[in-house]
Amino acid sequence: GAVVSQHPSRVICKSGTSVKIECRSLDFQATTMFWYRQFPKQSLMLMATSNEGSKATYEQGVEKDKFLINHASLTLSTLTVTSAHPEDSSFYICSARDFRGNIQYFGAGTRLSVL
Amino acid sequence: QKEVEQNSGPLSVPEGAIASLNCTYSDRGSQSFFWYRQYSGKSPELIMFIYSNGDKEDGRFTAQLNKASQYVSLLIRDSQPSDSATYLCAPLKAAGNKLTFGGGTRVLVKP
């Protein structure tokens, strides 16, 4: 299957700092990337859909000014958690959809812990 | 009613047996259906997908789809302890072309 690289895998930061997470499709072009958040023992919650070269579409209840998404190229999308607080601690997972079809491949995820 | 319903489990099966996982969905416009496996603390990995009514086999996995009943299932044959994970059913919503995830079924394969 296709490879999606997500970095970093784990972040521990102080409250009030900003954290950037990168998501790269390594062997395919992804016109659309997705950002999910998952709390313990819960399913994935879609935060936003990111299309290359355009503004991200955020799901209801997700603050776009807090979770900044940039999709500057067909292989790279970034999520910046601004002014992180302990309640933002979660498992953030990106996925990329191969432009040739509807299959989504997931990155390994980033575990964010805000102290 | 949830958009995607799955029995949360755990579904406990002995090694070598068949694990049967069910999923129902509410969006009649969904045309593509995906099964992902998620190990504890890891991200989901694609197991298989199905677009047409009927069965689709891939190795030890068989997906079954019945769009009229809005039902999709996954069978795992010759279950192994390494199959112990949470299995996520994800129909692709017609509106917005986005995956909708069920809560997942936790499978426990006992040696």
Side-chain angles (χ1 to χ4, degrees):
Chain A
V3 178
V4 176
S5 173
Q6 186 173 343
H7 179 81
S9 60
R10 185 173 183 90
V11 179
I12 301 173
C13 68
K14 292 182 179 179
S15 185
T17 59
S18 294
V19 175
K20 180 186 274 190
I21 302 169
E22 286 190 354
C23 180
R24 294 180 185 271
S25 56
L26 295 186
D27 51 2
F28 66 99
Q29 293 183 327
T31 51
T32 305
M33 289 187 173
F34 304 86
W35 289 95
Y36 295 84
R37 182 166 55 181
Q38 187 175 37
F39 292 106
K41 299 192 184 303
Q42 294 186 25
S43 192
L44 282 78
M45 185 194 81
L46 179 65
M47 299 174 66
T49 302
S50 162
N51 290 296
E52 185 263 340
S54 62
K55 289 184 179 179
T57 303
Y58 291 81
E59 295 298 304
Q60 193 172 12
V62 178
E63 300 174 57
K64 62 180 181 181
D65 293 331
K66 181 167 186 62
F67 299 100
L68 301 179
I69 291 172
N70 183 280
H71 192 161
S73 76
L74 285 172
T75 58
L76 174 64
S77 177
T78 60
L79 167 69
T80 301
V81 183
T82 61
S83 187
H85 291 285
E87 58 266 29
D88 298 322
S89 298
S90 188
F91 191 40
Y92 292 86
I93 314 171
C94 74
S95 76
R97 182 159 65 203
D98 192 327
F99 80 99
R100 294 166 294 183
N102 282 324
I103 298 176
Q104 276 184 228
Y105 299 97
F106 284 83
T110 298
R111 196 161 300 281
L112 172 63
S113 299
V114 185
L115 305 178
Chain B
Q1 182 190 7
K2 292 182 181 178
E3 291 186 86
V4 182
E5 298 260 16
Q6 292 182 257
N7 189 320
S8 61
L11 174 65
S12 186
V13 296
E15 184 174 357
I18 296 175
S20 177
L21 291 73
N22 304 318
C23 171
T24 57
Y25 59 95
S26 61
D27 179 22
R28 284 198 170 275
S30 295
Q31 296 295 318
S32 307
F33 303 84
F34 299 82
W35 282 98
Y36 287 86
R37 176 175 62 196
Q38 187 175 24
Y39 291 112
S40 181
K42 304 295 185 183
S43 68
E45 55 180 319
L46 181 67
I47 296 295
M48 63 187 303
F49 55 89
I50 185 167
Y51 299 151
S52 303
N53 280 328
D55 296 359
K56 179 182 177 184
E57 188 175 314
D58 185 356
R60 294 186 297 111
F61 299 96
T62 298
Q64 298 172 317
L65 175 61
N66 184 326
K67 292 181 183 178
S69 300
Q70 294 174 250
Y71 172 89
V72 58
S73 67
L74 180 71
L75 299 177
I76 308 173
R77 287 183 302 283
D78 188 22
S79 295
Q80 302 297 309
S82 59
D83 294 326
S84 297
T86 297
Y87 290 80
L88 304 170
C89 168
L92 185 67
K93 287 184 72 170
N97 212 22
K98 295 182 286 191
L99 290 179
T100 307
F101 284 91
T105 297
R106 186 166 151 245
V107 172
L108 191 59
V109 181
K110 296 185 174 180

